[in-house]
Amino acid sequence: MDYGLCLPNFTARASREMIDAAVETAVDLGWSTVWTTDHVLVGTGDAEADYARNFDAIATLAYVAGRDASLRLGTSVIVVPQRNAVVVAKELATIDALSGGRLIAGVGVGWDRHEFGNLGMADRFPVRGAYLDETIALWRHLWSGSREPFEGRFHALDDFAFDPLPDQRERLPILVGGRSAPALRRAGGLGDGYHASQASPAAFAERMPLIRAASAAAGRPIPALSARVNVRLDEDDGPGYALRRGVAGAAADIRAFADIGLAHLAFHPQGRDPEAFVRACRRLAEEVLPLV
């Protein structure tokens, strides 16, 4: 199992100091990847409260890429239908080229209809799945270096030059997030990976038949499997899935994820200041992971 760290680029605790501490800790612990979380202009409801303060997911990775030359850089996940797909293709290609091919593009359709409206894209919310499907094909087309026309429902390109190309070219990994049936089919049929959020090992296992079926129907291998998990070791229970029930309970869950076939876990620890965040990470590394 390979491990990564969700950067504290969102919630009220998000700050440059928190992000710097997280990056340094991931390097120190030998974890492979850091991940950013995306929202742009949420409302003020309870469901949106964690995302009111949110350093931009793509710009933050550019900042991190300049601080460290070893970590892989992932988005967990970009809400692609809220953006111009060609502009995002350029941003991601630029980071990949400047970082030496270290980018992972995690993508999703989003869930917050109100946020789409705030961004002037209310009409895209009902077709956001179709927009993401086309975007995946468009990105691979652009990143391959092809100058052949691209004709889709949302994009028509017939005379263009796209440069620089990503170091990874069209092999730049695109991981699909989400829990709905269309998202799982998209992961299996189009994605290079499936990236779950707040899913227990049991919930993840329940999703696998649909992912496998979509992969088989598309004549593709099963995508690489990964998940981001909240870490609340001192809790026995609570809302949403997290690594809980102490060191032994968390280690048991990580082993269960490995048994399903996950290759990567991205940890999202608690901690309202850099010192507490680093302590939470070190507890995982020193007490939990040796038991896995």
Side-chain angles (χ1 to χ4, degrees):
M1 179 78 76
D2 181 59
Y3 303 113
L5 184 60
C6 294
L7 294 177
N9 73 302
F10 72 113
T11 74
R13 67 182 179 170
S15 68
R16 185 186 65 197
E17 292 75 18
M18 286 287 288
I19 292 168
D20 288 349
V23 169
E24 291 167 8
T25 301
V27 173
D28 215 27
L29 297 177
W31 293 350
S32 70
T33 313
V34 289
W35 301 84
T36 52
T37 300
D38 178 43
H39 276 284
V40 179
L41 198 63
V42 297
T44 56
D46 290 343
E48 301 158 315
D50 279 348
Y51 310 108
R53 181 175 177 83
N54 209 133
F55 286 70
D56 182 78
I58 298 174
T60 299
L61 289 185
Y63 169 75
V64 172
R67 285 186 55 82
D68 174 79
S70 61
L71 292 166
R72 299 214 70 189
L73 312 161
T75 55
S76 175
V77 294
I78 307 169
V79 184
V80 171
Q82 293 180 347
R83 294 171 164 83
N84 180 297
V86 177
V87 173
V88 178
K90 172 70 78 171
E91 293 169 338
L92 298 179
T94 298
I95 292 176
D96 196 64
L98 294 177
S99 70
R102 291 187 281 140
L103 189 66
I104 302 167
V107 299
V109 298
W111 51 268
D112 192 341
R113 182 187 292 270
H114 180 74
E115 185 176 14
F116 275 76
N118 283 346
L119 296 171
M121 296 185 177
D123 58 342
R124 195 174 286 172
F125 188 82
V127 297
R128 63 197 189 282
Y131 188 88
L132 179 54
D133 289 349
E134 183 172 305
T135 293
I136 292 171
L138 173 63
W139 285 358
R140 289 184 174 138
H141 183 76
L142 293 173
W143 292 342
S144 73
S146 173
R147 294 192 178 182
E148 292 299 312
F150 182 94
E151 186 70 36
R153 176 178 172 184
F154 304 99
H155 306 88
L157 310 179
D158 60 5
D159 181 19
F160 61 90
F162 185 92
D163 215 22
L165 298 175
D167 269 25
Q168 299 178 91
R169 303 286 289 264
E170 69 274 20
R171 295 181 300 280
L172 195 163
I174 300 175
L175 276 57
V176 176
R179 67 188 69 179
S180 68
L184 300 178
R185 287 193 290 267
R186 183 175 299 115
L190 296 177
D192 300 304
Y194 173 58
H195 185 66
S197 175
Q198 296 193 50
S200 67
F204 203 112
E206 290 176 358
R207 300 174 190 179
M208 287 305 301
L210 195 51
I211 294 172
R212 287 194 189 98
S215 296
R220 306 174 74 243
I222 295 173
L225 304 175
S226 64
R228 59 180 287 158
V229 290
N230 290 333
V231 181
R232 299 179 180 272
L233 295 182
D234 294 324
E235 294 181 358
D236 290 329
D237 200 6
Y241 173 72
L243 294 177
R244 293 188 171 94
R245 298 174 289 113
V247 168
D253 275 12
I254 295 172
R255 290 194 297 271
F257 278 122
D259 289 342
I260 295 167
L262 270 72
H264 180 84
L265 277 182
F267 299 123
H268 181 208
Q270 303 305 300
R272 291 193 171 276
D273 57 63
E275 293 76 17
F277 186 85
V278 171
R279 283 197 303 271
C281 293
R282 291 198 173 280
R283 188 177 178 196
L284 270 169
E286 295 168 5
E287 299 181 31
V288 177
L289 298 186
L291 302 179
V292 174

